[in-house]
DNA sequence: AATGAATGAGAGTTCATTCAT
DNA sequence: AATGAATGAACTCTCATTCAT
């Protein structure tokens, strides 16, 4: 009566609970969008009471911020783990494309929620502060790639790294938005993007 | 007695009211997003009772559909009014870019709401049926432009019209999304997009 | 401009409109009950505007009173048209039973609405004043029948006319209420009611 | 500290709340009918917020179903608690009559609400499924009584149990409907019903 | 750390009724 | 006699949040 039973460790730490809550929230955002997200649904999916949910995550805004944090964490982790030593800019760009294709087909939730939260971030400053820099981070990765490629000659010298990066991220983020009937043409788009920035010789070689 | 009293023209026709309601809804969507749209706010802004609002537009879903229709109408009207006779593909593309810049700076609401509704249309089939074809319509305009340009030689022969169109629409629609500090660089992006599809010679000519 | 066009006599007299409104209301009460009655539905069925409906029948209460009046009128008319001269009480009772069977099968609306309005009449004094006397009128018809039959010997002398009348009207009005699976047994009930009030000899004759 | 404070026992269990809600709903149905039942009125009478009411009983339909259940429960409990061992059919019938008189005079709400709900049950299938079988249950009790009485000779052998039961339930249920000035004559009706089904000899014995 | 109960504010919708023409 | 437009009051229901334990 004075000690917790060893077989039923119901009380978990806040850290663990927050992870579970974040995951449940992500799943629900995918199903119904941020606008359709209900705290009660999250609590139910985690298997806890709504009051308990509020104990761990005080407000709904804090909850969405939590999700934004996890997305940022995952996104950065995924970006960091790819080695690029000794590759040309074009090769790295191709790696990115492959990566993107994998994400879209295997774990599309990352991009879905990213888009949802960026959208929300335009009106919600709390989310905006988390997500908008992340978007910049993503784009800056491509800026680096283009800079690299211009230096090593795998991209044309007249390519503007920032503009090109914006074109690539724009295309990619919009791509999956409209992928009702275009999902098959993803290769054509990748090829086209390459041609857009590579020197004429590369086309004939 | 010979004309309507100029001081209190309270009773208006349903057609006029629907226009006013649609405009008020558009303004509110810009302010608070589709998710933050409240029928009571619309009624207040139009200056009518909520019941009156429901008299003219029976449900909230019909209301959003009404907005979607007006957006579609405006978008198509804007697309139709530009003459392109005797122009090359590249020239028409430049016209489109100019047009886009004007819209973004002068009447950005068209694109803001378009994006909001396309987003919503992915989950709401009623809106989806109105908006998604519109997105295709927009993209197909660029497909035609690229086909034209390939024929007249202003674009490279190896350009894939569909892929190129997707890149352009993706870039444009994503552009304004992240335009916190990038709005100045719009020219660089336009230039870069041109270079991406024009032959090397054209760059120097 | 000063005379009504002969081909389109849209404006009808209030008397005619009230008849049409009453009929439409009756039909709708049958479909959805008094509780489900909506003025807009009535107007639509009559083919007029709601404002026009209120012009002819100022309030909903007056509308229901109107229906009650037509029911009373029809009910009384139906009761009056049957000749009973020279018949015994039992014979008249049998006539009533036949009549009831006809009404239930052919024009059940009379009884349906009667029941609905009597029910409502318990809380709405306006309706109560119209319907409750009508219910008494119906029962009193049976009181007269039993008095006649007791005199002519076709009913037992110990029959209490008022009690017997209440039993008959109660049975009949409840009968149709529960006629989901009992509609076939209506003959058995009629026979049983006869036996309940006729002398033992009649049973064996 | 050692017991719940006697002055402010605000938080009660759902089971208790549902009972209180059911009782309040019953009282309000008696006052204003099912059609006049408002969730806010119930909440107010129970002394809780409307949202709290919805917490315990999710929808209005569920609320009415709850009332229907309590009525069914009470009705069955009342029917079950009377011993009938060793009694003749006529004696049991008289017991039923006494019982009915008690209910009508002491706790008339049972029958009032029963009638209301049966009426509603004809259009609302959820309520219908609860109430209509109850009506059959009531009638079948009388079928059993008549069968018993026919066997023991307290009723005439030519009595049709089903028809007789329908006559009795019809009379009883209609009786209280019109009991403005007839409540005094209830004894006459009971006597008349007895005579209707008992053998001539029994009347004189 | 956890929970059942409670709540205020507000959502969309309905309906009988009225106004101006 | 007729109508389109307008309305106030009320309805059921939802949701993030809080309280007491």
């Amino acid at each position: 009566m004075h000690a917790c039973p060893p077989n039923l460790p119901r009380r978990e730490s806040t850290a663990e609970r927050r992870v579970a809550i974040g995951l449940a929230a992500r799943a629900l955002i995918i199903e119904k969008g941020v606008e359709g997200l209900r705290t009660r649904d999250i609590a139910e999916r985690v298997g806890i009471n709504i009051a308990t949910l509020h104990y761990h995550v005080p407000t709904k805004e804090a909850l969405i911020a939590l999700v934004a944090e996890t997305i940022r964490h995952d996104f950065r982790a995924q970006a960091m783990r790819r080695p690029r030593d000794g590759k040309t800019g074009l090769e790295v760009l191709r790696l990115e494309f492959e990566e993107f294709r994998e994400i879209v087909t295997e774990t599309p939730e990352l991009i879905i929620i990213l888009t949802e939260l960026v959208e929300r971030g335009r009106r919600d400053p709390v989310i905006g502060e988390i997500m908008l820099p992340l978007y910049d981070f993503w784009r800056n990765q491509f800026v680096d790639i283009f800079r690299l490629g211009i230096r090593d000659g795998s991209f044309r010298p007249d390519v503007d790294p920032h503009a090109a990066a914006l074109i690539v991220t724009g295309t990619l983020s919009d791509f999956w938005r409209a992928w009702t009937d275009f999902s098959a043409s993803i290769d054509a788009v990748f090829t086209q993007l390459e041609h857009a920035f590579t020197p004429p010789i590369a086309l004939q070689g």
Side-chain angles (χ1 to χ4, degrees), chain A:
Chain A
M1 195 190 250
H2 57 296
C4 63
N7 46 354
L8 268 177
R10 267 185 312 222
R11 312 249 161 153
E12 302 190 17
S13 74
T14 283
E16 286 168 334
R17 280 292 190 223
R18 283 176 68 92
V19 170
I21 289 167
L23 287 174
R26 282 167 66 151
L28 282 165
I29 288 174
I30 290 166
E31 287 174 32
K32 312 191 175 177
V34 178
E35 130 194 22
L37 188 64
R38 300 286 174 262
T39 53
R40 271 189 157 78
D41 294 345
I42 298 170
E44 189 187 13
R45 191 157 298 198
V46 175
I48 57 175
N49 189 282
I50 322 158
T52 308
L53 182 95
H54 274 84
Y55 175 81
H56 293 295
V57 184
T59 68
K60 196 183 182 184
E61 196 165 52
L63 178 82
I64 295 179
L66 169 66
V67 174
E69 284 292 355
T70 71
I71 289 291
R72 168 158 73 178
H73 177 266
D74 286 11
F75 191 86
R76 288 222 142 112
Q78 204 145 33
M80 293 310 176
R81 73 165 194 237
R82 317 162 208 157
R84 290 156 186 187
D85 316 332
K87 294 207 171 62
T88 68
L90 179 59
E91 284 167 342
V92 178
L93 184 68
R94 281 174 176 159
L95 277 180
E96 287 290 331
F97 286 165
E98 280 316 301
E99 191 85 19
F100 182 79
R101 190 210 308 276
E102 274 177 36
I103 293 176
V104 165
T105 52
E106 288 169 27
T107 55
E109 62 163 77
L110 204 63
I111 299 179
I112 297 180
I113 301 177
L114 190 87
T115 311
E116 290 272 350
L117 290 179
V118 166
E119 202 77 16
R120 186 180 178 98
R122 198 167 318 122
R123 282 197 186 84
D124 185 334
V126 175
I127 306 305
E129 264 176 48
I130 300 173
M131 298 311 291
L132 297 184
L134 186 57
Y135 217 65
D136 289 348
F137 166 80
W138 186 36
R139 192 163 37 234
N140 281 328
Q141 286 192 302
F142 285 99
V143 173
D144 291 343
I145 290 170
F146 281 110
R147 281 195 183 126
L148 172 65
I150 292 165
R151 274 201 307 276
D152 65 31
S154 59
F155 290 132
R156 293 204 311 270
D158 64 309
V159 166
D160 175 336
H162 278 101
L166 205 143
I167 290 168
V168 169
T169 55
T171 302
L172 293 186
S173 68
D174 191 70
F175 189 84
W176 98 266
R177 260 193 191 89
W179 74 331
T180 32
D181 50 331
F182 274 85
S183 71
S185 62
I186 189 169
D187 289 316
V189 171
F190 285 165
T191 306
Q192 187 66 244
L193 278 173
E194 281 187 25
H195 288 196
F197 306 115
T198 46
I201 302 99
L203 295 175
Q204 294 148 355

